[in-house]
Amino acid sequence: MTTLTNLEQVRRVVTAIPGPKSVAAIQRRAEAVSGGLGLTFPVVIERASDAIMLDLDGNQIIDMGSGIGVVNVGNSSSKVVERVIEQVQAFTHTCFTVAPYLNYIEVCEALNRLAPGTHKKKSMLANSGAEAVENAVKIARHYTKRQAIVVFEHAYHGRTNLTMALNAKNMPYKDGFGPFAPEIYRVPMPYEYRWLGPKETITEDAIEMITHKIEKEIGANNVAAILIEPIQGEGGFIVPPLGFLPALSKYCTDNGIVFMADEVQSGFARTGNMFAIESEGVIPDILITAKALGGGLPIAGVTGRAEIMDSSHVSGLGGTFGGNPVSCAAALGALETIESEDLIGRARHIGDVLGNGLLALAAKYPVIGEVRGRGAMLAIELIKPGTIEPNSDAMSKVLKYCMANGVFILSAGTYNNVIRFLPPLVITDDLLMDTLTVLDEAFATL
Ligand code: PLZ
């Protein structure tokens, strides 16, 4: 067994980025891999640990994206690696619904314990966020005997057929890929920065618009579920105003609607709570998780009130690979790390260090219209100074500069003008400060 030594947690630029080996590998990629796949950084990774990635050319790059909010515990985190190695040596697959195994049950027990609320909960596991969302919709419809699903402007829920219909944005997620699933209804999202009405009454006004739409256009008695990301991810880290999620949750309870929180991106200590929905004490009927649950291996969860989760007939839920034992082992390692290393506290600390740094940049560069987010889920929205007109050109330039200088930062947003920060929660303060320095240089070049 080879043991890979951990990478020193420092940024080191030794060639142009992308360097010659990456450029050659990206040419091979273009020959072999479907052109339908995007490519954020044309840089090929050889190894990664914690918050540093090593590319083929020997550059050490700061990871500010965690593979889109997945490696919250850091890349190749030790407890994940140890448990995965143990599990692949024991057995790799049986199919849980054919012949069960303990670690699937243990992941469900952990999810039931960690999900908000003290009521009796049960879980099921799937392979990806989209698959978990699909299962949550199946379960809510079966439980309520209703069909309509209410989703929001700027929402993102996946790339399968049903989840494409749930997404708000046409390009690149939906264009030409229809027809889409029926019985999906979209309602306004209180996106404070771009809200046209008075901001003082945004919560009340948004709830009024949403409930009016539900009652007049759908009928509350036809709504199986309201599905929302407590902080919207791909849509641009849109944080709903205070009071909005509690009011929405109450409306669901009053009308027999299942309240479903998609915490695929915001979950697992990311926002300074185990789940973002906890910040206002809201208890979802169904919690959807994926990404960081597996610490880098594919796994997803649907966790909910026991009576909801038990409502479908036996064998109505399943899948060959859902909750694969190797992924379950990884999940147990990731959850153990999150709890034992207080990554919730770390996320809050990152929120302070990075958040203050971003506010300082915003004070210096008027192209930054807003700094928002919570904990280690932070974003800046770029605009044309003096307006709120989206500035995606500035965003591309800043992110390109950062890439060339060894810092990978992701974009987001309906208007492609948001820079989002999702660092591994184990990132050092030095790497955060180094990132802020590179960002400052990047904005200075605009
Ligand atoms: N729900 C809130 O953020 C995945 C998409 C990457 P999967 N977001 C990253 C891309 O461009 O494909 C996501 C999410 C929320 C669901 C999903 C879907 O999760 O694991 O990608 O299926």
Side-chain angles (χ1 to χ4, degrees):
M1 193 171 75
T2 52
T3 33
L4 298 174
T5 44
N6 286 340
L7 296 169
E8 195 190 344
Q9 296 295 296
V10 290
R11 178 171 64 101
R12 199 171 286 138
V13 179
V14 298
T15 70
I17 300 180
K21 289 183 182 161
S22 275
V23 170
I26 293 297
Q27 275 163 7
R28 279 174 63 189
R29 175 189 142 123
E31 282 303 310
V33 178
S34 160
L37 294 164
L39 177 59
T40 308
F41 304 111
V43 179
V44 180
I45 302 306
E46 184 171 285
R47 203 197 295 179
S49 71
D50 291 341
I52 287 289
M53 298 194 278
L54 176 72
D55 75 7
L56 292 181
D57 295 283
N59 297 295
Q60 292 206 167
I61 294 155
I62 304 177
D63 176 11
M64 291 300 289
S66 303
I68 324 192
V70 170
V71 290
N72 288 9
V73 293
N75 223 309
S76 289
S77 179
S78 59
K79 290 195 175 87
V80 173
V81 172
E82 283 160 24
R83 287 189 186 241
V84 164
I85 290 173
E86 235 172 76
Q87 182 58 48
V88 285
Q89 287 172 338
F91 65 95
T92 49
H93 178 80
T94 62
C95 186
F96 185 73
T97 53
V98 173
Y101 37 87
L102 271 179
N103 64 10
Y104 186 113
I105 301 167
E106 286 164 358
V107 173
C108 291
E109 287 168 347
L111 287 171
N112 299 343
R113 172 173 63 82
L114 296 171
T118 53
H119 55 284
K120 170 83 178 156
K121 286 165 252 164
K122 289 196 178 183
S123 294
M124 66 158 288
L125 305 178
N127 299 293
S128 66
E131 201 192 337
V133 171
E134 295 245 3
N135 276 285
V137 169
K138 278 171 67 173
I139 293 166
R141 282 179 169 159
H142 208 283
Y143 174 72
T144 57
K145 308 278 179 269
R146 304 172 178 181
Q147 296 189 347
I149 305 295
V150 171
V151 289
F152 289 81
E153 291 170 350
H154 310 288
Y156 180 88
H157 299 288
R159 288 179 182 269
T160 56
N161 185 264
L162 174 60
T163 56
M164 275 195 291
L166 300 169
N167 293 344
K169 197 173 172 182
N170 177 50
M171 269 310 254
Y173 307 124
K174 301 165 88 161
D175 197 65
F177 293 132
F180 302 111
E183 288 304 314
I184 311 290
Y185 299 88
R186 195 166 308 285
V187 294
M189 178 71 191
Y191 181 174
E192 213 157 349
Y193 187 63
R194 298 190 173 279
W195 189 251
L196 297 175
K199 297 198 179 168
E200 309 75 59
T201 54
I202 180 170
T203 298
E204 297 82 337
D205 294 350
I207 290 289
E208 164 62 23
M209 286 161 83
I210 291 163
T211 54
H212 181 269
K213 226 172 137 63
I214 290 176
E215 271 144 38
K216 296 298 160 207
E217 298 176 21
I218 318 167
N221 59 315
N222 293 314
V223 179
I226 294 184
L227 170 64
I228 190 163
E229 300 156 81
I231 294 180
Q232 289 183 317
E234 303 303 308
F237 286 17
I238 300 165
V239 186
L242 272 183
F244 178 73
L245 293 171
L248 202 61
S249 155
K250 181 174 185 309
Y251 180 79
C252 287
T253 307
D254 292 347
N255 289 279
I257 298 169
V258 177
F259 183 77
M260 307 206 295
D262 178 343
E263 294 248 11
V264 168
Q265 193 155 158
S266 56
F268 300 107
R270 171 58 57 191
T271 61
N273 278 307
M274 189 57 81
F275 298 103
I277 193 91
E278 289 170 52
S279 76
E280 291 185 80
V282 175
I283 296 174
D285 300 309
I286 289 185
L287 176 77
I288 301 161
T289 54
K291 288 192 190 285
L293 173 59
L297 269 77
I299 186 167
V302 183
T303 302
R305 295 184 183 278
E307 66 273 22
I308 300 179
M309 296 301 293
D310 279 340
S311 67
S312 72
H313 48 274
V314 173
S315 291
L317 309 175
T320 306
F321 285 118
N324 167 274
V326 182
S327 291
C328 285
L332 293 174
L335 294 175
E336 188 190 335
T337 305
I338 289 169
E339 294 195 273
S340 68
E341 295 187 13
D342 184 27
L343 294 190
I344 289 177
R346 276 295 302 167
R348 291 181 183 189
H349 174 76
I350 292 169
D352 290 341
V353 174
L354 190 59
N356 287 334
L358 294 175
L359 285 171
L361 289 178
K364 192 163 162 191
Y365 300 106
V367 73
I368 302 176
E370 188 178 53
V371 180
R372 61 174 177 253
R374 198 184 298 140
M377 185 170 185
L378 295 174
I380 50 181
E381 175 153 0
L382 305 193
I383 41 98
K384 299 192 175 141
T387 73
I388 60 160
E389 221 183 297
N391 194 340
S392 71
D393 182 51
M395 181 208 71
S396 310
K397 284 182 177 140
V398 167
L399 295 189
K400 262 197 194 118
Y401 181 94
C402 291
M403 177 187 77
N405 288 279
V407 186
F408 281 2
I409 310 178
L410 299 171
S411 63
T414 297
Y415 312 102
N416 302 320
N417 67 326
V418 175
I419 295 178
R420 63 171 145 174
F421 301 87
L422 288 168
L425 304 179
V426 295
I427 193 169
T428 62
D429 285 8
D430 285 350
L431 288 182
L432 291 176
M433 297 317 289
D434 195 21
T435 296
L436 285 164
T437 305
V438 173
L439 265 176
D440 194 346
E441 290 166 17
F443 277 106
T445 64
L446 288 180

